[in-house]
Every structure is written in structure tokens, then in C-alpha cells.
Amino acid sequence: MMDVYERRCRRLMRAYPPRFREHRGEELLGTLLDIAVPGQLRPSLRDSLDIVRGGLRARLRGRPPVVQWLLYRLFGRLVSDRYRMWVRDDLRGRLYIVYALIPRVMLIALMLKAVDDLALIPSGVELLSRWIFPLSYSLGIWSIMATRRKACGRYDLEDVDAS
Amino acid sequence: MALREQSYLALLALSDGPLHGYGVIKAVQELSEGRIRLGAGTLYGALDRLTTEGMVTVVKEEVVDGRHRRYYGLTGQGREVLAEETVRLTRLAATAQRRLRLQPGMGA
């Protein structure tokens, strides 16, 4: 049975990354139940802010360094193995498609634009400029699918469906 | 290496024997004479850091009344760092007292 206090704690604990909640969530919740006085309906403002801050810090601590992160986002280069759980959470995230697709599509569109501007395509062929968006979009989708497959293989992750 | 006050107090709380999260919160409150009540987020942040640095380790896990508990204990290294930090703080306090005694207007 879950009471109001517990439900509110669990909601606040969503500030923590899933990997933390799986491993330590029940323990953190146990401590939050311990500090509650009988009949308390919600954690105090101070405790609530403390949980959220702790969660955001845990997210920051588990992140790959910025260069690795950029290469991963833009080119799908995998980060070192110690961040595999971060990658798993990233692939499972509800907004994964947004985080992953936007930088990829932008990068591909820029590259296609450069190819177009440098007139590497014979004049008279206006195919590229007209198709630049749908082409970058499809290549972007293809590219993040490839990254996802590669990540699942390398980090040995099962079932990372974004659902 | 200087520890943050909350980390120092958490280590000190564990020096008597392993405690679970709430146990550490209570012990720190007593040690600080009621001045510091660690929030759960701060506590687990500190415990995580101390565990990564090898000063604290999980010694036992249990479920009591449906509440999950992990007990944390000091490692040898943790005890060493705690002792070093205590020496440093003692020296600092002694210096502070000497300086205050030398100050005019303090009865000198």
C-alpha cells in the first residue's frame, strides 16, 4: 500500500537518473520514510529541494566528459564503458529521439549544404537543395538506429526500447 | 585532504560502528549539537562520494517493515582520513585560541 507521503517522495525521486533509482531508490525511500513524522503528508520544502538537488547532482556525476558526450551525440561514437548505464538510460529516455535526432539531422543537413555550395553536384541538378531536409532526416534516423544497435552490442544492453 | 564538514561528520558518525542512512542523519545531528540535519539527498550524495573514494563501504543490507536499509561502515582508509582531519582541525582550533588570547580587548 502506498500512502500520499510515499507517492510524493517517489515523484520527487524522479530527479534521480533511472540507474540510481533501480539500485538505490528503495533505500533512499526508506530513509525518507524514516525521517517522516507520523501523519506527515508531504516532505518538507527543505527536504524536497534537497532530494531534487541530490538527483540533479547524481545526473551530472554520471555523465560522460563533454568531448565524449559531443562525439556520441553528433557522430554516434560510443563513450567509455564506465558510462554504459548512462547510455542505457539515454537510449531508454522518453526524449531520446529528440536529443539524438536534432543534432544528427542538423549536422547532416550542414554537410549536404556544404556539398551543394561547393558545387560538387553538376549544375542543373537541383535534386539536393530540394531534398536536403527529407534526406538529412532519413539519414539521421538511420544513423541513430545504427548507434543504438552498436551501443546495445558493445555494452551488452538488452531491451532498450524507448517505449 | 580537507573534507567538507558534512563528509567529516558522516565519517565521524560511522566511527562507532556501521549505521544505515537514517542512523547517520541522527548521529550527525547529535554530533553537531542539533545544528546540522542532513537531508536525504545530501546524505546519499556524500555517501556515494565517500564510497567511490574508498572511505566507506556497504557492510549489510536488510529489509525492516518493508523499508530497505543499507548499513555503511568505515574502511581502514576512511578511519585514517578521519584521524588526519581531526589532527588538522585540532591544530587549527589551537591556533585560533592562541590568536584570540593575543588580541587586545580580550582581557589581555
Side-chain angles (χ1 to χ4, degrees):
Chain A
M1 191 189 67
M2 213 196 273
D3 65 10
V4 187
Y5 177 83
E6 180 175 340
R7 210 167 42 236
R8 289 188 166 137
C9 286
R10 283 190 190 274
R11 204 177 307 147
L12 286 168
M13 281 165 51
R14 296 189 65 86
Y16 282 87
R19 57 191 178 280
F20 181 98
R21 275 178 289 158
E22 277 158 36
H23 189 54
R24 316 281 299 279
E26 291 305 308
E27 180 195 2
L28 174 57
L29 182 71
T31 303
L32 288 169
L33 292 171
D34 284 338
I35 58 178
V37 294
Q40 189 172 343
L41 287 182
R42 64 180 74 228
S44 66
L45 180 63
R46 184 179 162 263
D47 280 326
S48 305
L49 291 175
D50 190 73
I51 300 166
V52 172
R53 200 177 45 208
L56 297 179
R57 287 223 172 114
R59 280 181 193 267
L60 279 179
R61 258 203 314 277
R63 279 187 98 78
V66 93
V67 174
Q68 285 196 38
W69 175 82
L70 258 173
L71 293 174
Y72 167 78
R73 274 281 177 263
L74 287 176
F75 307 108
R77 225 195 78 171
L78 296 184
V79 296
S80 43
D81 285 358
R82 53 189 293 220
Y83 300 110
R84 63 185 284 273
M85 294 311 272
W86 176 85
V87 174
R88 191 211 60 174
D89 286 351
D90 183 55
L91 295 178
R92 274 190 190 174
R94 240 178 308 168
L95 291 176
Y96 171 70
I97 199 84
V98 180
Y99 293 147
L101 199 57
I102 289 178
R104 243 21 112 82
V105 168
M106 278 168 47
L107 182 72
I108 293 169
L110 277 175
M111 290 194 307
L112 291 177
K113 183 84 175 49
V115 169
D116 204 22
D117 287 354
L118 288 170
L120 298 177
I121 310 284
S123 55
V125 184
E126 286 196 31
L127 206 67
L128 197 56
S129 50
R130 202 179 321 151
W131 289 93
I132 222 164
F133 182 71
L135 196 56
S136 338
Y137 185 76
S138 338
L139 283 172
I141 293 269
W142 171 80
S143 147
I144 63 172
M145 295 308 262
T147 304
R148 175 187 283 250
R149 260 198 315 276
K150 198 166 64 167
C152 292
R154 151 107 174 258
Y155 304 122
D156 200 20
L157 304 172
E158 39 13 281
D159 181 38
V160 283
D161 244 328
S163 54
Chain B
M1 172 179 48
L3 290 169
R4 289 184 217 190
E5 187 178 19
Q6 34 176 269
S7 304
Y8 179 76
L9 287 170
L11 288 179
L12 191 58
L14 295 174
S15 62
D16 255 359
L19 291 170
H20 56 69
Y22 183 50
V24 176
I25 294 177
K26 275 193 303 184
V28 166
Q29 205 164 7
E30 276 169 35
L31 288 168
S32 66
E33 294 165 338
R35 196 167 47 86
I36 295 177
R37 210 216 79 190
L38 295 177
T42 308
L43 171 76
Y44 284 104
L47 285 176
D48 264 2
R49 249 191 334 270
L50 293 171
T51 307
T52 317
E53 288 163 6
M55 296 195 233
V56 161
T57 180
V58 176
V59 292
K60 193 172 75 165
E61 298 186 41
E62 63 178 20
V63 180
V64 181
D65 295 336
R67 293 184 190 175
H68 290 248
R69 285 186 168 156
R70 277 201 180 92
Y71 287 79
Y72 297 85
L74 273 191
T75 61
Q77 194 200 336
R79 199 165 283 279
E80 216 171 279
V81 170
L82 180 62
E84 279 166 19
E85 185 70 5
T86 305
V87 170
R88 193 184 70 86
L89 290 172
T90 312
R91 265 205 315 265
L92 184 64
T95 311
Q97 275 178 339
R98 248 193 336 270
R99 284 191 165 216
L100 286 171
R101 267 201 301 274
L102 288 175
Q103 241 168 47
M106 295 284 293

